[in-house]
Amino acid sequence: LLLLFLMSLSPYLTPLLLLLVIVGGSFAAAGECTIESQIASGNFQQRLHDLEDIARANAGNRAAGTSGYQKSVDYVTSVLEKYTNYTVTVQSFPFQEWYMKTTPSLKQLLPFDQTFAYGTDFSVMRGATFDGTVKSRVIVVANKGCKSSDYPKEVSGNIAIIERNDCGFKEKVAFAVEAGAVGVVIVNVDGGPITSRVGYPTIPVMSLSAEIGKAIILEASTGDVVLSMELSSISITRETYNIIADMPGGDPNNVMLIGSHLDSVPAGPGINDNGSGTTTNLEIALAFSKCLADPKLGVRFAWWGAEELGLLGSTHYVENLKKNDPAELKRIALNVNLDMIASPNFVYFIYNGVTAPEPIRDGSARIQTLFQKAMESLGEDPASSAM
């Protein structure tokens, strides 16, 4: 699977579209049916307004599991079914909806009393499902807790405190649970507390700011520190959806997948994040349907669900293929991800394909080169901003 993720692209989509032409094939020369004319005449603004109207009519958002998201799915599928001859599939998958029932609490009881401010001093890591209070000793985990051997036997029955970085939060928490921890505190390396997903452990998992967390680590390294963690949270299994649209023709053994997440955060309608990617993906799909006469590759479009909850929709798609159709997964030659591409303070950034994991490094580097050539043809110099 060759991966390239785009970030903060200009609202002018020509570099992206040039890449799609290069890998997608030739466009019909009938009248004004060109990629440029179709995109230029696209309904970007109207579609963004449509998504905002959906959100406003549905509690102000289009988050996974909500009526706003269902209406967004209906909107995209209806446009595809009306204006293209693509095979459109709505793929359902379960996800865990997590929320806190009450405001959490974190206090230090020893060597002195101290109450930490929620949101400023500490936060709760999303997914940790627990109802009650844990009062226990703090045990410092070595080496940022990325191996099971980093967790001393004293972690069992106590609260593990772990510094951020070197591995994922889920991994750290899983090791702590395996070691018998009754609670986990993640310490940021700089700045305030972190809010991120940690799977669905059944112990409280919180994060401390760098200043407070490092002070506690120092105290716990030389004496007893006791914390009180109070959390009342719940996780409910819900259903949400991906949309997959396959274009006829092209090489079925080499598929270009163009994806974007369809859901918003609960706090708003998600017009830049990711209405911009959603509508761009939709307009490209319409232009391809009308003008792409002879695609070299198979072309597949995807709108992912529950991205804001941790890339759940795209992960489900890949894991489902791994389990049920691994040959189909191997046929995907290229993935382009459209996310937040309408930022007014845009810059041209290209992820450095050379730094990609080994299985996808060669392909990612080749894709990076294609983007660079496309941008350079327009007088841009993306090399200086390669990441």
Side-chain angles (χ1 to χ4, degrees):
L1 192 65
L2 313 181
L3 300 176
L4 177 74
F5 293 95
L6 308 181
M7 172 175 190
S8 299
L9 281 178
S10 161
Y12 305 101
L13 297 166
T14 307
L16 171 61
L17 297 174
L18 282 175
L19 172 70
L20 299 181
V21 171
I22 290 169
V23 298
S26 59
F27 280 76
E32 296 300 314
C33 192
T34 66
I35 184 65
E36 292 86 356
S37 65
Q38 289 302 306
I39 294 299
S41 63
N43 296 314
F44 289 99
Q45 288 292 337
Q46 183 56 54
R47 298 203 187 286
L48 292 173
H49 283 297
D50 291 344
L51 291 177
E52 184 168 19
D53 288 344
I54 288 172
R56 291 186 182 279
N58 292 274
N61 69 74
R62 301 182 301 103
T66 68
S67 58
Y69 184 75
Q70 181 61 61
K71 293 294 184 182
S72 299
V73 170
D74 295 342
Y75 175 77
V76 171
T77 54
S78 67
V79 171
L80 291 170
E81 289 169 353
K82 183 175 182 179
Y83 295 107
T84 77
N85 63 344
Y86 297 167
T87 301
V88 179
T89 304
V90 177
Q91 180 187 54
S92 65
F93 63 94
F95 75 100
Q96 297 294 313
E97 182 178 17
W98 176 91
Y99 61 92
M100 291 184 290
K101 296 186 287 184
T102 59
T103 302
S105 169
L106 181 62
K107 300 176 182 178
Q108 181 173 312
L109 305 180
L110 283 177
F112 52 84
D113 289 345
Q114 184 174 193
T115 298
F116 302 113
Y118 175 58
T120 305
D121 299 332
F122 82 98
S123 63
V124 175
M125 302 296 271
R126 295 182 61 82
T129 305
F130 185 77
D131 191 3
T133 302
V134 166
K135 296 179 182 179
S136 194
R137 210 174 132 220
V138 172
I139 304 299
V140 178
V141 173
N143 304 319
K144 300 181 180 177
C146 293
K147 303 191 302 290
S148 59
S149 58
D150 294 333
Y151 295 76
K153 64 179 185 301
E154 290 82 8
V155 165
S156 181
N158 287 308
I159 296 169
I161 189 164
I162 315 167
E163 287 189 280
R164 183 182 186 176
N165 285 347
D166 289 4
C167 61
F169 298 124
K170 285 185 183 179
E171 195 172 354
K172 295 176 190 286
V173 173
F175 279 131
V177 170
E178 183 182 358
V182 295
V184 175
V185 174
I186 306 288
V187 176
N188 202 358
V189 293
D190 185 34
I194 313 150
T195 300
S196 187
R197 300 194 68 83
V198 292
Y200 297 94
T202 55
I203 61 172
V205 182
M206 298 181 180
S207 167
L208 276 170
S209 68
E211 181 180 1
I212 294 171
K214 290 176 181 179
I216 290 179
I217 287 176
L218 183 60
E219 291 172 350
S221 298
T222 58
D224 285 348
V225 174
V226 174
L227 293 181
S228 171
M229 306 174 73
E230 183 179 347
L231 176 64
S232 181
S233 59
I234 191 170
S235 177
I236 301 172
T237 300
R238 302 284 297 276
E239 186 177 57
T240 193
Y241 308 94
N242 294 325
I243 304 170
I244 312 297
D246 284 288
M247 183 178 183
D251 182 355
N253 293 313
N254 287 284
V255 175
M256 174 176 65
L257 196 156
I258 309 169
S260 56
H261 77 85
L262 182 56
D263 60 313
S264 75
V265 295
I271 298 308
N272 187 22
D273 186 12
N274 186 37
S276 61
T278 290
T279 56
T280 300
N281 206 10
L282 190 55
E283 288 299 317
I284 292 172
L286 297 179
F288 273 30
S289 177
K290 188 171 184 180
C291 299
L292 187 56
D294 183 25
K296 296 176 183 176
L297 304 182
V299 180
R300 180 172 302 153
F301 295 90
W303 289 262
W304 307 120
E307 186 270 356
E308 297 290 358
L309 299 178
L311 311 179
L312 301 186
S314 54
T315 299
H316 171 79
Y317 178 76
V318 171
E319 293 300 321
N320 183 62
L321 287 181
K322 278 184 181 179
K323 180 180 179 181
N324 298 312
D325 195 353
E328 179 61 27
L329 183 60
K330 290 181 179 180
R331 295 185 188 109
I332 299 174
L334 162 68
N335 177 67
V336 176
N337 184 57
L338 306 176
D339 197 348
M340 295 181 68
I341 60 171
S343 300
N345 59 335
F346 66 88
V347 288
Y348 289 107
F349 274 159
I350 304 174
Y351 277 139
N352 190 345
V354 177
T355 64
E358 172 59 32
I360 60 172
R361 187 173 300 156
D362 178 64
S364 294
R366 290 162 57 196
I367 299 166
Q368 176 192 337
T369 300
L370 287 174
F371 268 99
Q372 287 177 311
K373 288 181 178 178
M375 291 183 182
E376 287 164 1
S377 73
L378 298 172
E380 298 293 340
D381 181 18
S384 60
S385 59
M387 304 192 327

